[in-house]
Each structure stands twice: as structure tokens, then as C-alpha cells.
Amino acid sequence: MAWACGRRLLQFDEDAEPRVTDDISNKMKQRAIVGYGLKTEQVWENGVLGGEIALQNIWSWIDLVKSLRDEGKQKLNSKLSGYKMQGAKAILKGELTPVGFPSKSELQSVPWVGLERHNGGQRHIYRNECREMALQLCGWSFNRDGVTINDFLDRLQSDGHYERAAAIALFNLKIRNAIEILNKGSTADNGKGGDINLNVVAMALSGYTEEKKTLWREMCRELKTQLSSPYLRAMFAFLIADDNYDEVLYEAGIAIQDRVAIACIYLSDIKMMDYIEKLTAKMIEVGNLDGILLTGLTKEGVELLQMYVDLAGDVQTASFVMAEASPELMKDGRVKEWVDSYRDLLDMWRLWHQR
């Protein structure tokens, strides 16, 4: 970067190039050139073009919601038909049901899978239609026979996400699957696996017992504090939880969709909604795009995106995301400001086609 006056070079900053590259306006320009935001059929492709995890997540979520809606799995209450993209919070509150509120959840006792010989005990879970719909939004709409979840876990492993795959298997009470995944990850050679510590954790899991006062539980509590992986810590917290899953749900390194899914399965109606309300408020406060899973593209979603724009300056993503929302929300003054700002940038960059 250089500053000049006539033919005189007043200052030259040879270190400025990386900062220019990281500037949000430059990022938006490069994304616009490759067609970011213009993929209207396979909208998840916008996330790939965005090149960042947060953008991949939000576009993948929008793609999922559109697919569920097209398949008729997410039915809207006629009172909310103006909102095309409801989030998990509205669903769990029952706002999409014909009566406008959820049915009381059914408490079930479900056994561990793979511990039958050792009398592995059971876990209490909660089920109702709204919870099932929210699990779909989280990508956790697994068949209870295990076929679908195995496909999901295989995809995670193929991408090298062994710790998350093992944790999700465990959260679905498939402890033998979790142990097998950890053992596989301990010897994987793909740049993301190959961690011998996974084998140690697998051995610890193999000693699981439902007994409350055991040396195994004491060792797990100690080992949990020494682990750097949030998913491995959450696995031990889950195993030693006595119907109190706070250590899992408030583990910041766990993906939002996984935390919401765990709340949908293991928390009572009152505790679940209390957690969902707090998590939604936090996501809005910090402008975390992953929070769109909770807010949906609603008025709360606009609040979250406004905070995101204030912090990141990314009017491009905010504009394109809201293009998927209802026409009514596009009339919001904040949304209009994002769109106008992005159009001005496209004019300045002479990107007429993209405009």
C-alpha cells in the first residue's frame, strides 16, 4: 500500500497487503465475482463460495429448511404463513402447530445400545412432535433403527470429524459405535485424525457403568479436565450426568445444532425452553450466524443479522440471507439499508451483472 503526492512517494507499507486481503470489503468483492449468493437452487453452494465455516453453516441450514418444507415435513400454522423460515425456538414453542402451543412431552426410558451384557442401564428422554421437528432442523432426524444415524456418522468420519461423530453416537446412546469411531480416529491418517488420545478415551468409555459411586466416575471427572477437545469433554460430562446436562449444553466448543438437539432430547419442557431462550439471547447478543437455527429468518433473525453486520460489516451475506425470508421482512428498514449498501458497493466495483 502506498501514499503519494504527485511524483513523490510519501509512504510505503509493505505489510499492508495481508490486511487488505482480510478486509471485509475485499472479501465481499471477491465473493461477488465468483457468484456468491446467486445460487438459488442448490443454495448450500453459496456457503462453499463464501469460504468460511459460519457461511457454510447458515447456507446449509437454509438449504435444509427449504428441503424439509418442499417435502412437507415442516408445516406452517396459517397465522405464520408470512414467515418462510422459522427457527427451532418458534417450533419448540409450538407456534407452528394448529393450536399455537406444543403438546406435553412424553417421558420415555431408553436403554443404551451395545451395553446389554453389562446391564448398561437407561436414560430418560422426552418426545413430542415439536421436538421432532426441531431435531430435523438440527440435522438430527435419525431413524431409531440406527440406519440413518450411521450414514450421518460415516459422513462425519469421512471428513475427519471423529470426535464429533463419536460424541453424537454417544449422545444417541450408541456407546459401542462411539468406541469404534474413536479407535478408528486414533489410527486415521488424514490430517485430522491419528490422535492416540482418542484411543485412551475409547478405553475409558469401555468401562462405563451406571453406578453412581465408582472409581471409574472419579477418573472420568479428572480426565475430563485434562482434555482440550470440547467434544471429548462433553462425552465424559454426558456419561457422568445425573439428568443434569449443563456441562454438555454450555460447552462453547460444541456446535449450536448439537447443543439444541441434546436439549430437545434430554431436557424437560420447562428446562428446555429456558435453555433455548437463553441460548437465543446469547446468539443475538454476539451476532453469531449459527444462531439463525434458533431465530430463523424472523424479526429476531433480523436483530441477530444486524449485530453480525455491526461486528463484521458483511452486508452482502445479510442481504442474500434475507432474500430467502418473507417479503414482509424485506420491508424492514435495517434490511433495506443492507441491500442498498451492498448495491452501492457493486456499483463502485462496476460489477453490473452481479447487481
Side-chain angles (χ1 to χ4, degrees), residues 57-69:
N57 288 344
I58 192 170
W59 285 110
S60 293
W61 180 81
I62 291 173
D63 186 76
L64 173 62
V65 175
K66 294 179 73 171
S67 297
L68 291 173
R69 190 179 61 211

Side-chain angles (χ1 to χ4, degrees), residues 76-86 95-96 326-327:
L76 288 176
N77 181 338
S78 59
K79 295 180 181 179
L80 298 169
S81 59
Y83 288 146
K84 300 196 299 181
M85 294 273 179
Q86 284 291 337
E95 294 180 6
L96 273 66
S326 67

Side-chain angles (χ1 to χ4, degrees), residues 91-311:
I91 289 174
L92 291 170
K93 291 175 70 175
E95 294 180 6
L96 273 66
T97 65
V99 294
F101 56 86
S103 61
K104 182 178 176 59
S105 296
E106 177 187 356
L107 178 63
Q108 300 179 354
S109 294
V110 180
W112 287 90
V113 178
L115 289 180
E116 293 84 354
R117 291 184 306 163
H118 304 289
N119 189 25
Q122 299 177 326
R123 285 289 171 105
H124 294 138
I125 69 169
Y126 295 84
R127 304 284 296 276
N128 71 10
E129 184 181 9
C130 293
R131 290 175 185 256
E132 294 300 321
M133 290 175 67
L135 286 171
Q136 291 175 355
L137 284 190
C138 296
W140 276 47
S141 55
F142 310 132
N143 293 335
R144 294 305 171 186
D145 59 10
V147 175
T148 302
I149 188 174
N150 286 338
D151 293 339
F152 181 69
L153 297 178
D154 287 343
R155 289 197 300 272
L156 289 177
Q157 292 176 78
S158 66
D159 291 336
H161 302 306
Y162 292 98
E163 294 166 359
R164 185 184 176 206
I168 291 177
L170 186 71
F171 300 152
N172 283 274
L173 305 183
K174 300 181 183 298
I175 193 168
R176 187 175 297 278
N177 290 53
I179 293 172
E180 292 173 353
I181 292 169
L182 290 171
N183 284 328
K184 182 179 178 181
S186 69
T187 58
D189 184 20
N190 64 350
K192 296 180 181 179
D195 186 352
I196 192 62
N197 289 327
L198 299 185
N199 187 256
V200 175
V201 174
M203 288 190 290
L205 261 60
S206 65
Y208 172 70
T209 174
E210 282 281 312
E211 295 294 327
K212 305 302 181 184
K213 296 181 179 180
T214 62
L215 178 60
W216 180 87
R217 284 183 171 246
E218 293 179 14
M219 293 180 62
C220 283
R221 288 191 180 93
E222 178 63 27
L223 180 58
K224 182 170 71 70
T225 63
Q226 301 175 22
L227 296 170
S228 60
S229 166
Y231 275 102
L232 296 182
R233 289 198 300 268
M235 290 174 73
F236 281 113
F238 181 82
L239 286 173
I240 62 179
D242 296 324
D243 289 331
N244 183 340
Y245 297 96
D246 284 357
E247 287 192 61
V248 181
L249 296 170
Y250 289 96
E251 177 63 67
I254 301 297
I256 296 298
Q257 62 266 35
D258 295 339
R259 286 190 268 167
V260 172
I262 294 167
C264 288
I265 296 173
Y266 293 104
L267 297 188
S268 66
D269 290 340
I270 294 176
K271 289 183 177 180
M272 177 187 68
M273 286 314 307
D274 180 63
Y275 174 73
I276 293 298
E277 292 282 0
K278 290 178 180 178
L279 185 59
T280 301
K282 183 62 177 179
M283 293 296 100
I284 293 174
E285 178 185 353
V286 300
N288 188 330
L289 286 180
D290 291 341
I292 291 294
L293 163 68
L294 292 159
T295 66
L297 300 186
T298 61
K299 292 180 179 179
E300 275 195 322
V302 174
E303 292 180 25
L304 188 153
L305 286 170
Q306 181 62 65
M307 182 58 68
Y308 169 71
V309 169
D310 290 343
L311 295 173

